[in-house]
């Protein structure tokens, strides 16, 4: 599994993110071509240059707006601009996801709806370039997962459209809920709203003690000077044995005895959508002999835990949740794609007691069975016969 790891020891901003991804090897021409699809070429000048920050060589990205007075933009304006562009649907959806979480955060801290948020600096062309450009670069690198370290927020005060605000500014404080953060390591705003929105909107997984095999690193240079280099380091590598061994995870549980059972399937779908690793229900008997269900949800990190709790409180009748940390023991595993008489099939491999087991991806087998009028048993048996592997069923 290919991992892109955000090492935010000095925070993260939109321009630092762009610089770091370009420093990993993204072709600047690919970035420029993608940004041209927004139809804003006349509104900004993009400068990409090499530089050094306290002995660290990296890439600096500078967006110079050519308009002296930039238009006021609301979420609807940004949705229209991106929606009407010639970007691919994937790029549109991911870019809009970042802007929407930012609008939600701004609306919450200012007491209004996301649609009423006047983005100020965030709706300006440089933020559009930072967010859409970051998504374009990630699509070029094609990592399987995005992970993030502990995030430095900085300190002091920041000047913004609402005046002089303490660091982290309220929108950043809202956006980094569930992340591992620290403050005061830099005497300025180390993590900006755009940087925090990229982490939240792209659903970067919190892995402050992640084990992975690094292959290369890129450095995006910031504009500040401090004792700690104002750079964002981004690693590209592979998961170490797909994190085999013992690791921490988080369990959330609740007991429900007063909800329409038909709703559970919908709730489970939503839980998986927001990052649940597993969801299951256990029949229980509550007070006064009431039959009920205990809903248990496993999540891999604190960020997914927060999203899962939000779904449970919003979409079930529960009024409270129990959450606790657990230890998971995971066998070494990896996934490959195998050519079979039925076409390409994903195989999940695992090692137990020094014996290697392979298991075809169920969804691939289900699709083949439906297309060819076969039973699942026939598909599994044929793949086992063809591949000569021990299939774990």
């Amino acid at each position: 599994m290919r991992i892109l790891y955000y090492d935010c020891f000095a925070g993260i901003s939109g321009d630092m993110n762009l610089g770091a991804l370009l420093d990993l090897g993204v072709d600047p021409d690919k970035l420029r071509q993608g940004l041209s699809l927004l139809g804003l070429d006349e509104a900004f000048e993009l400068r990409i240059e090499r530089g050094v920050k306290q002995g660290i060589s990296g890439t600096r990205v500078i967006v110079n707006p050519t308009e002296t007075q930039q238009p006021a933009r609301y979420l609807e304006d940004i949705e229209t601009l991106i929606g009407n562009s010639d970007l691919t649907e994937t790029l549109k959806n991911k870019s809009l996801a970042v802007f929407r979480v930012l609008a939600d955060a701004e609306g919450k801290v200012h007491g209004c709806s996301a649609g009423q948020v006047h983005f100020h600096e965030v709706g300006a062309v440089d933020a559009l370039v930072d967010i859409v450009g970051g998504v374009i670069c990630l699509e070029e690198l094609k990592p399987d997962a995005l992970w993030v370290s502990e995030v430095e927020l900085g300190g002091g005060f920041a000047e913004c459209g609402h005046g002089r605000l303490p660091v982290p500014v309220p929108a950043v404080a809202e956006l980094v809920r569930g992340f591992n953060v620290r403050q005061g390591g830099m005497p300025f705003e180390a993590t900006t709203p755009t940087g925090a929105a990229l982490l939240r909107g792209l659903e970067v997984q919190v892995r402050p003690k992640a084990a992975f095999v690094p292959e290369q690193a890129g450095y995006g240079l910031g504009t500040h000077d401090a004792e700690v280099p104002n750079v964002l380091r981004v690693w590209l590598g592979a998961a170490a044995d797909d994190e085999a061994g013992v690791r921490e995870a988080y369990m959330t549980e609740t007991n429900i005895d007063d909800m329409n059972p038909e709703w559970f399937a919908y709730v489970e779908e939503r839980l998986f959508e927001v990052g649940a690793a597993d969801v299951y229900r256990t029949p229980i008997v509550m007070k006064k002999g009431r039959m009920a269900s205990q809903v248990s949800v496993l999540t891999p990190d604190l960020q997914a835990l927060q999203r899962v709790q939000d779904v449970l409180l919003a979409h079930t009748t529960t009024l409270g949740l129990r959450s606790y940390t657990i230890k998971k023991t995971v066998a070494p595993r990896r996934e490959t794609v195998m050519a079979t008489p039925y076409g390409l099939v994903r195989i999940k491999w695992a090692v137990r007691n020094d014996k290697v087991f392979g298991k075809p991806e169920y969804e691939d087998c289900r699709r083949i069975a439906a297309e060819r009028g076969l039973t699942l048993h026939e598909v599994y048996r044929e793949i086992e016969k063809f591949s000569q592997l021990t299939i774990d069923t």
Side-chain angles (χ1 to χ4, degrees):
M1 183 168 68
R2 299 279 290 171
I3 303 299
L4 192 141
Y5 189 77
Y6 281 102
D7 188 0
C8 300
F9 64 86
I12 179 173
S13 64
D15 59 325
M16 290 165 67
N17 177 61
L18 262 185
L21 298 179
L22 288 167
D23 207 52
L24 277 176
V26 174
D27 186 346
D29 288 338
K30 293 285 188 180
L31 172 62
R32 295 181 189 277
Q33 291 168 12
L35 289 173
S36 69
L37 300 178
L38 283 173
L40 295 175
D41 287 354
E42 303 301 319
F44 68 93
E45 175 192 7
L46 182 66
R47 286 169 46 201
I48 301 170
E49 55 191 33
R50 297 291 299 171
V52 177
K53 180 72 69 171
Q54 290 174 246
I56 297 179
S57 174
T59 299
R60 179 180 292 110
V61 175
I62 301 170
V63 181
N64 288 324
T66 56
E67 301 170 323
T68 55
Q69 185 67 36
Q70 295 197 52
R73 290 190 176 97
Y74 294 82
L75 180 59
E76 182 180 5
D77 301 315
I78 292 171
E79 289 176 332
T80 299
L81 175 64
I82 294 177
N84 291 339
S85 73
D86 292 324
L87 294 166
T88 66
E89 288 304 310
T90 297
L91 292 174
K92 288 179 182 179
N93 292 336
K94 290 186 176 181
S95 298
L96 288 174
V98 177
F99 275 107
R100 285 167 181 152
V101 299
L102 185 52
D104 287 340
E106 292 279 5
K108 186 171 183 178
V109 300
H110 296 305
C112 63
S113 69
Q116 293 173 313
V117 171
H118 176 203
F119 277 118
H120 300 288
E121 301 94 339
V122 181
V125 69
D126 54 340
L128 282 160
V129 172
D130 287 344
I131 291 173
V132 177
V135 172
I136 291 170
C137 289
L138 287 171
E139 284 298 296
E140 288 295 315
L141 292 169
K142 292 181 171 56
D144 297 307
L146 303 176
W147 294 355
V148 65
S149 69
E150 188 176 58
V151 180
E152 172 64 53
L153 302 180
F157 293 84
E159 302 291 341
C160 62
H162 296 284
R164 197 163 187 254
L165 298 177
V167 172
V169 298
V172 170
E174 178 65 23
L175 287 164
V176 297
R177 286 187 307 120
F179 286 81
N180 284 52
V181 301
R182 63 173 180 263
Q183 290 183 258
M186 324 277 287
F188 49 80
E189 184 181 40
T191 295
T192 66
T194 302
L198 283 162
L199 295 178
R200 173 70 69 183
L202 296 174
E203 299 186 347
V204 181
Q205 299 176 43
V206 178
R207 298 292 176 87
K209 298 180 181 178
F212 65 100
V213 180
E215 296 173 1
Q216 63 185 112
Y219 294 87
L221 305 184
T223 58
H224 296 281
D225 291 307
E227 292 183 5
V228 177
N230 183 212
V231 302
L232 169 65
R233 177 164 56 194
V234 176
W235 299 89
L236 194 61
D241 290 330
D242 281 349
E243 294 194 292
V246 179
R247 63 177 184 265
E248 285 190 348
Y250 302 90
M251 182 68 77
T252 299
E253 295 176 344
T254 186
N255 301 340
I256 298 177
D257 67 354
D258 58 348
M259 190 174 86
N260 185 337
E262 294 178 336
W263 296 5
F264 280 116
Y266 174 75
V267 173
E268 289 172 5
E269 290 175 2
R270 293 296 305 273
L271 289 169
F272 282 118
E273 286 174 0
V274 300
D278 194 15
V279 181
Y280 60 92
R281 284 182 288 146
T282 306
I284 59 174
V285 180
M286 294 177 61
K287 62 184 180 182
K288 301 180 181 179
R290 294 174 181 169
M291 299 302 297
S293 293
Q294 175 180 287
V295 180
S296 303
V297 187
L298 184 66
T299 50
D301 52 57
L302 288 170
Q303 185 180 6
L305 174 65
Q306 181 65 58
R307 295 196 300 266
V308 159
Q309 291 176 337
D310 290 343
V311 168
L312 288 171
L313 291 171
H315 294 281
T316 73
T317 55
T318 189
L319 299 177
L321 306 169
R322 302 182 298 276
S323 297
Y324 52 93
T325 303
I326 65 169
K327 296 287 187 181
K328 287 182 60 179
T329 301
V330 182
R333 64 183 68 184
R334 63 183 65 249
E335 182 178 294
T336 62
V337 178
M338 178 179 291
T340 75
Y342 299 134
L344 297 179
V345 174
R346 290 169 291 172
I347 306 291
K348 296 178 180 177
W349 301 91
V351 179
R352 291 202 302 271
N353 299 323
D354 297 324
K355 189 173 183 179
V356 178
F357 294 86
K359 182 176 181 180
E361 173 60 46
Y362 165 76
E363 289 297 335
D364 291 351
C365 295
R366 184 192 63 80
R367 172 181 51 79
I368 291 168
E371 291 174 351
R372 296 174 178 258
L374 302 171
T375 66
L376 275 172
H377 176 70
E378 290 173 318
V379 175
Y380 272 82
R381 185 179 60 191
E382 184 63 26
I383 292 174
E384 181 179 16
K385 175 183 175 183
F386 174 79
S387 60
Q388 297 183 339
L389 54 83
T390 301
I391 292 186
D392 182 8
T393 56

